[in-house]
Amino acid sequence: MNKNGQKEMTLTGQFYDLDDGESITSAVLRNDGSEIAFDLSHSDGCNYTVSLKRLQGSLFKGTAISQPGGDVAELSCRVYQDTSEGVTLIVGSGWRYPGSAHNYRWQVELQAD
C-alpha cells in the first residue's frame, strides 16, 4: 500500500519506439467492429491486405497477405476503440509467417474521417 492507504500494483512491460508510421488505406470496420480490414503500404516495398476478426472480447486474429508474393502471415492482436473520439487502436502481439520462428510486434491507429 502507498502512503495514502491505496493498493499499488507493480507492472512490467516493454517499450517500442515506432518512429514514422506507414500509410494505411481503405480501412473498413464491419459487424459492429468485430471485423476490421485495411491495406498497408510498408517501407519494405510490399503492400499488405490485413483482415482481422474478433475472437473474444478485445482479442482478434487474422491474416496479412503480401503483394507481390502472396505470402500469408498469421496475426493476433488486441483492438481498443474510443467511439467518442473515433479512434481505433490495434496492438499486435503476433505477425508470424508459417515455418518461421520470428514474431513481429505491430501497432495501428485508425481514425474516423
Side-chain angles (χ1 to χ4, degrees):
M1 296 211 180
N2 67 14
K3 64 181 178 180
N4 297 327
Q6 295 176 342
K7 195 177 203 180
E8 289 184 352
M9 185 183 321
T10 302
L11 304 172
T12 62
Q14 295 177 319
F15 170 79
Y16 297 94
D17 186 358
L18 300 175
D19 288 334
D20 295 327
E22 307 285 354
S23 177
I24 291 179
T25 59
S26 306
V28 177
L29 278 78
R30 290 179 280 226
N31 297 330
D32 294 324
S34 290
E35 296 181 30
I36 302 171
F38 57 88
D39 293 327
L40 167 65
S41 193
H42 196 276
S43 59
D44 66 2
C46 290
N47 294 319
Y48 296 90
T49 298
V50 175
S51 299
L52 302 167
K53 289 186 180 181
R54 184 183 313 273
L55 190 63
Q56 180 181 353
S58 63
L59 179 61
F60 282 64
K61 296 234 177 204
T63 59
I65 302 171
S66 69
Q67 294 300 326
D71 294 328
V72 179
E74 296 177 11
L75 308 181
S76 58
C77 60
R78 297 277 180 182
V79 176
Y80 304 99
Q81 294 180 310
D82 183 340
T83 53
S84 65
E85 294 293 326
V87 174
T88 299
L89 183 63
I90 304 171
V91 180
S93 57
W95 185 301
R96 295 178 187 89
Y97 290 97
S100 173
H102 192 78
N103 177 48
Y104 301 92
R105 295 193 181 265
W106 53 284
Q107 179 175 320
V108 170
E109 182 180 336
L110 301 173
Q111 296 180 350
D113 290 337

